[in-house]
């Protein structure tokens, strides 16, 4: 059984901008996969390539082993989803829109119209033209349109964007319910908390590149490990740390030396510092929150240097 | 094929729910009504159009006058109104991504749209013909018609010839529809595609009257709007009709193939 999503070396350029820059992505059956990144990171562009809406400049996509560029609509068998705001024919009612989509789907999609309307709580408004729908209702209708296909893989692009708090809660509950039913879900988001609440695996995207990929637990571990060291001789301490085996990401940081590494390496470091006649004033383990890590890998300029290898290295 | 027919049926349903559909049909039916009432009120037919002199003698001349009149902008406009919109409106509504992530390939979707645009052109032409015949009949009755060769044609026979003329007239309309579809696919903007199609049709008519360009005149799409004259000669002159068929086929196929290739390959990055 091929994986629901396997993307290799995806690149999409828009003139000077590299919207998606060599992205590899593997989503296994049953994953609720968070695709995380700030606005403009390339999430939507990636999902468009997965759905066969745009052609990658390089690389290839496989959905359950099928390539949308080679197999056309067949590659979307068992796949549903939408990018950005779901769009419908404004002059048709919600039900008519779903009937059209069901006709464009293979199989018994038409018989599911009532039940998907029920699922997204639009049954009562189904006769109204989509023209008069609020953003939240369109978002729900988008989910309904996707569920019509009875998908095994659901791709959702920031489905809570623009919703009010109740709408966000409902949408998250719905995604959770679908995941519990065994659906594989890829959920893009620029909000870490959302991914944290729903997903078991994440890829973090920054300027088109994946800067972290792994289980959420690994992300937490990666976020846990750095130390801040203050000594009587910071210059020498920095040199000792840089020479010390097992430490990574050594750099001066706000009057301290900052590094990460396993506990035994830190223990031997304290001895090495003593041998080098550097007095330790403070050696503080720092547990970064996910927010800080997210910020670190996505926005900090330092993260553009080889430094974020810390996060990626911890994952691989 | 089944996919294209599914799309076709839904495109027709969508057309029935859109205002512009009825605007085009309104043009197609209002023009003969305005024409007949004006002629009846002034008790005078147009002189410089084929069959114009006979509209008060036989209502059968009315649809034929309107065929000539409609070639300049009316039918190109009505055809372009829907053909130019049918892909671009998906861009406008952002619905391409919606329909292209279902189980149908892009080619049958394009084919269904093309079929719907052509059907619409046919319905508009038919509506015009029916209203023109009824209006002409009421005004002048269904009497014998004088053919372009000066012979008298009995009403029954004239009706058959009118039917044939409308069918031949529909052929260049198919070419316009294909161009509208191509522009709709390229421009991704409905107004631009409609205006572009109309402009092209004007340019072709302009080329036809420019001095020194007479040689290409027989191959211009808009020139085929007069091929039906062959039916109204005695004996029937099949040469312009056969010529129109293959010239229009080239315009039609070329526009449709280019449009289809662009549609199948293009990135759907909006919406
Ligand atoms: N159709 C397009 N034309 C030009 N640039 C685009 C297009 N689509 C996306 N981009 C650019 O690609 C980058 C990634 O965009 P996008 O995938 O929409 O990011 P996200 O969904 O993560 O917010 C952005 O810099 C955006 O401006
Ligand atoms: Mg986006």
């Amino acid at each position: 059984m091929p994986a629901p999503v396997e993307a290799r070396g995806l690149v999409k350029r828009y003139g000077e901008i590299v919207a998606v820059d060599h992205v590899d992505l593997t989503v296994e059956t049953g994953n609720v996969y968070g695709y995380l990144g700030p606005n403009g990171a390339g999430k939507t562009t990636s999902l468009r390539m997965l759905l066969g809406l745009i052609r990658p400049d390089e690389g290839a996509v496989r959905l359950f082993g099928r390539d949308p560029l080679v197999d056309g609509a067949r590659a979307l068998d068992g796949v549903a989803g939408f990018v950005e705001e779901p769009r419908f024919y404004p002059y048709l009612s919600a039900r008519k829109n779903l009937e059209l989509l069901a006709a464009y789907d293979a199989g018994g999609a038409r018989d599911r119209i009532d039940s998907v309307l029920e699922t997204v709580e639009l049954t009562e408004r189904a006769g109204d033209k989509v023209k008069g729908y609020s953003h939240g209702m369109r978002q729900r209708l988008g989910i309904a349109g996707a569920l019509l296909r009875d998908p095994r893989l659901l791709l959702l692009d920031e489905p809570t964007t623009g919703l009010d708090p109740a709408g966000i809660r409902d949408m998250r509950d719905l995604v959770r319910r679908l995941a519990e039913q065994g659906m594989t879900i890829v959920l893009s988001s620029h909000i870490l908390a959302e991914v944290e609440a729903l997903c078991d695996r994440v890829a973090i995207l920054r300027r088109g590149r994946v800067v972290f990929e792994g289980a959420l637990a690994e992300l937490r571990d990666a976020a846990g490990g750095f130390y801040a060291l203050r000594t009587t001789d910071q210059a020498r301490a920095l040199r000792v740390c840089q020479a010390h085996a097992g430490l990574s990401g050594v750099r001066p940081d706000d009057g301290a030396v900052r590094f990460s590494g396993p506990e035994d390496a830190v223990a031997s470091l304290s001895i090495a510092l003593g041998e080098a006649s550097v007095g330790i004033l403070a050696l503080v383990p720092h547990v970064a929150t996910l927010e800080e890590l997210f910020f670190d890998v996505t926005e900090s300029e330092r993260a553009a240097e080889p430094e974020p290898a810390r996060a990626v290295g911890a994952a691989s | 094929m089944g996919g294209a027919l599914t799309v076709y049926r839904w495109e027709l349903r969508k057309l029935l729910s859109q205002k512009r559909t009825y605007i085009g049909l309104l043009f197609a039916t209002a023009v003969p009504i305005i024409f007949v009432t004006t002629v009846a009120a002034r008790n005078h037919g147009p002189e410089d159009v084929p069959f114009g002199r006979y509209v008060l003698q036989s209502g059968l001349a009315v649809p034929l006058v309107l065929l000539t009149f409609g070639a300049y902008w009316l039918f190109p406009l009505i055809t372009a109104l829907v053909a130019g919109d049918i892909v671009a409106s998906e861009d406008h509504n952002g619905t391409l991504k919606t329909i292209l992530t279902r189980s149908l390939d892009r080619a049958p979707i394009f084919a269904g749209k093309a079929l719907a645009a052509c059907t619409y052109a046919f319905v508009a032409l038919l509506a015009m013909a029916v209203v023109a015949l009824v209006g002409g009949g009421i005004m002048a009755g269904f009497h014998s018609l004088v053919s372009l060769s000066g012979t008298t044609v009995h009403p029954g026979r004239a009706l058959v010839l009118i039917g044939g003329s409308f069918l031949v007239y529909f052929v260049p309309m198919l070419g316009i529809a294909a161009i509208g579809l191509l522009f709709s696919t390229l421009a991704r903007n409905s107004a631009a595609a409609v205006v572009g199609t109309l402009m092209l049709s004007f340019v072709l008519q302009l080329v036809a009257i420019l001095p020194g360009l007479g040689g290409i005149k027989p191959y211009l799409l808009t020139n085929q709007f007069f091929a039906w004259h062959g039916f109204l000669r005695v004996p029937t002159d099949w040469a312009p009709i056969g010529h129109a068929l293959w010239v229009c086929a080239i315009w039609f196929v070329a526009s449709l193939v280019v449009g289809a290739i662009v549609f199948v390959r293009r990135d759907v990055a909006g919406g």
Side-chain angles (χ1 to χ4, degrees), chain A residues 201-217:
Chain A
R201 267 189 100 76
V202 292
I204 298 181
L205 205 61
R206 175 179 182 275
R207 295 194 191 162
R209 284 174 182 268
V210 175
V211 289
F212 174 88
E213 204 282 331
L216 209 53

Side-chain angles (χ1 to χ4, degrees), chain A residues 6 8 31 46 53 78 124 166-167 197 199 222 230 237 258 288 306:
Chain A
E6 254 183 51
R8 291 290 168 266
N31 279 166
S46 309
L53 289 171
E124 265 139 58
C199 301
R230 288 202 298 118
R258 177 179 162 158

Side-chain angles (χ1 to χ4, degrees), chain A residues 43-44 84 157-158:
Chain A
K43 304 180 294 294
T44 301
E84 295 186 329
D157 188 21
E158 309 207 32

